[in-house]
Amino acid sequence: MEIKQYLNEQKTFIEEQMGHYMLEEGGPFARHIDAMRYSLFAGGKRIRPILCLTAAKVVGDNDLDIRDIVPVACALECIHTYSLIHDDLPAMDNDELRRGKPTNHVLYGEAQAILAGDGLLTWAFELISDRALGNLTAEQRLDICNIIAKAAGSSGMVGGQSLDILSENQDIDFDTLATIHRSKTGALITCSVLTGAIAGNATAKQFAALKEYGEALGLAFQIVDDLLNVTATTEKLGKAAGSDAARGKATYPAFFGVKETRNRAIAAVEKAIRSLAIFDKKAVPLRELATYIYTRSN
Ligand code: GRG
């Protein structure tokens, strides 16, 4: 299978579906909804929703209808987009470019950008908990809400972001860097895989394997992000290259140099692929996605 073609098809499908599930334009809150839609539809690889849907297909039986899981996949992208909007704010990374376009606060102002992020985060939980959307049991919805809240909140992405900011220009040890990567980036990636596992009714053994896969993939993803920040151009990245060093952030290349960082990324990809040993050829897209994470250029 050609993974790039699979990813493109999935990205197109998810973007169509997000158009369907996102708040409609207009009405009294038109400017707020515009700001949310601007960042949600500004491009992006859609890796988290793709992981969710692909994991569900791996464990699901023949009756699985992927459309039942689409609201959850869209919710993951809403949360990811909120995190990027807030990450770009002047109080955080103060970036003016994201996905090759002006950041949310540059266009809408800081207050509206904060609210666009808040709106997307909250909308995500509305999508998952709305019984009229998709055919999931109440228990599945509750488990999915819980796993996402944990991954996105203070013991996951938000906590990791806090530690990341506090660690700028500090002499942190490798354990702290690993904690930042695991919580800030890895947690939402792992949970994207696991939401698919819950929606597809994974067995305990399948769930454990997918958890190991998600954790290794999340690590590989962040190591490659660190590498690209050093090796790629702003044009290619669609966001400021070299920004980690400029901000005094601890990264894998800062700890180990580029060559050893590449080796560690490859080791994480290999671990992710090994974790899928219990699955048959249905898991090919997950395996190839792990390799793609290493070779991606933005
Ligand atoms: C709660 C005020 C407040 C802020 C939260 C949690 C947070 C802000 C920010 C952390 C999220 C963050 C920027 C993590 C870095 C992860 C990362 C590598 C993001 C880029 O992901 P891609 O490459 O992006 O999937 P695309 O553009 O493809 O969607």
Side-chain angles (χ1 to χ4, degrees), residues 185-225:
T185 309
L188 194 63
I189 289 182
T190 306
C191 118
S192 300
V193 178
L194 295 182
T195 54
I198 295 168
N201 286 313
T203 63
K205 192 175 168 196
Q206 290 173 327
F207 190 89
L210 287 173
K211 184 163 185 284
E212 208 179 307
Y213 169 80
E215 286 169 357
L217 190 79
L219 174 62
F221 191 90
Q222 183 59 56
I223 299 178
V224 171
D225 208 69

Side-chain angles (χ1 to χ4, degrees), residues 42-48 77 79-89 92-93 98-99 114 118 121 152-153 156-162 164-165 183-186 188-189 221-222 225-226 228 237 239 296 298:
K45 297 180 289 298
R46 316 302 187 190
I47 291 291
R48 293 150 192 84
E77 189 66 13
I79 293 178
H80 168 59
T81 304
Y82 125 76
S83 80
L84 300 183
I85 296 174
H86 281 194
D87 189 55
D88 291 334
L89 286 168
M92 298 220 185
D93 277 2
R98 167 75 65 183
R99 297 162 168 171
I114 293 170
D118 295 341
L121 173 62
M157 187 175 70
V158 172
Q161 175 81 345
S162 165
D164 190 23
I165 291 169
S183 47
K184 187 179 98 162
T185 309
L188 194 63
I189 289 182
F221 191 90
Q222 183 59 56
D225 208 69
D226 284 2
L228 289 173
L237 282 181
K239 61 183 181 183
R296 75 195 171 98
N298 71 357

